[in-house]
Amino acid sequence: MSAPEPSFVDRSTARRLLGDIGNTTLHALINAGRLKRVKLGAKTLITMESIRALAESLEDE
């Protein structure tokens, strides 16, 4: 049985999942509202839901 998909990932994992994008692109996507970030203490996490939604929107283009 495989491990369940996490609800949140750290910034480096989000960048890797999106094709090894850079920090600047990641922050631009967050600032544009295309990726949703949450704070957990000092840690910034990106929602997997927003990563999936972004990937699906890119497939539709």
Side-chain angles (χ1 to χ4, degrees):
M1 180 165 48
S2 63
E5 183 178 274
S7 297
F8 307 98
V9 295
D10 62 18
R11 290 179 294 186
S12 64
T13 302
R15 290 193 334 263
R16 183 178 49 79
L17 291 171
L18 291 168
D20 290 321
I21 63 173
N23 275 324
T24 302
T25 302
L26 180 71
H27 289 288
L29 289 167
I30 292 168
N31 291 338
R34 297 193 70 189
L35 288 175
K36 183 174 181 189
R37 74 174 173 96
V38 296
K39 296 290 276 185
L40 183 59
K43 192 165 188 88
T44 298
L45 301 170
I46 310 299
T47 67
M48 280 302 298
E49 181 180 358
S50 69
I51 292 172
R52 280 191 301 274
L54 175 63
E56 288 174 8
S57 74
L58 295 174
E59 290 174 359
D60 293 340
E61 290 181 0

